[in-house]
Amino acid sequence: MSEKIDATDRRILTALQRESARPIAELAAALGLSPSACHRRIKSLEAAGIISGYAARLGRRKLGLSIMANVLITLRSQEASVLEGFEAAVRAAPDILECHLTSGQADYVLRVVARDMDDYDRIHRNCLAALPDVSSMQTTFALRQIKAFSGYPIL
């Protein structure tokens, strides 16, 4: 890790990844810290950018989003203007949850969710097919989640 953090910071980060809505007093007590020391350390981790924000984990299926898809995108070229134009279009597309520039066969991997196949068809037609400079697109659908993301390893 490039930032200087100690074992107590690691314990704080691990606990916050599990449940960030926990009151500071509870977190501090569980970690054997005073509330003020715990709060000061959290603020320091936030200021350093190690903690970049807080969010609730939502139940995708409870929201009616039964389909999760990874879309592999290959662009027509690797020119900077092509990459920049594609990335700008992705950032402007609310149906695209994540986008990663990758090495290997595909240039990008996108993650999208949909209510059902009709909804995915809408996303494909109105969003994905409209992305600029795409030469090929391959979609894989997640059948079942085996392990959910629960945070980064804090070494």
Side-chain angles (χ1 to χ4, degrees):
M1 218 174 270
S2 62
E3 298 291 330
K4 300 289 185 205
I5 63 170
D6 62 15
T8 301
D9 290 336
R10 287 183 187 85
R11 290 177 31 233
I12 290 170
L13 293 169
T14 299
L16 287 174
Q17 284 190 117
R18 285 192 195 118
E19 187 182 0
S20 66
R22 194 174 189 184
I24 294 246
E26 271 184 37
L27 177 63
L31 297 173
L33 298 171
S34 71
S36 61
C38 187
H39 185 262
R40 192 171 41 256
R41 282 178 174 266
I42 290 170
K43 290 300 177 192
S44 176
L45 292 165
E46 290 170 350
I50 295 169
I51 297 174
S52 62
Y54 299 90
R57 287 188 211 131
L58 306 180
R60 172 177 60 88
R61 290 184 182 275
K62 295 287 186 182
L63 293 170
L65 300 167
S66 63
I67 293 178
M68 181 180 293
N70 294 303
V71 183
L72 284 69
I73 301 284
T74 304
L75 299 182
R76 67 170 177 80
S77 90
Q78 298 294 306
E79 295 173 26
S81 62
V82 170
L83 298 173
E84 290 164 9
F86 176 82
E87 291 172 8
V90 164
R91 281 191 288 278
D95 285 316
I96 298 172
L97 303 179
E98 290 183 56
C99 175
H100 300 272
L101 177 64
T102 61
S103 63
Q105 225 168 2
D107 295 318
Y108 294 91
V109 175
L110 312 179
R111 188 166 65 99
V112 301
V113 292
R115 297 190 186 302
D116 52 30
M117 286 307 287
D118 288 338
D119 191 35
Y120 180 77
D121 181 52
R122 175 196 60 80
I123 293 167
H124 184 270
R125 289 174 184 266
N126 299 336
C127 175
L128 301 174
L131 293 171
D133 299 306
V134 173
S135 69
S136 73
M137 183 182 324
Q138 179 183 352
T139 303
T140 59
F141 294 98
L143 301 176
R144 182 168 46 100
Q145 185 175 56
I146 308 304
K147 182 178 180 181
F149 178 76
S150 62
Y152 295 106
I154 309 298
L155 307 173

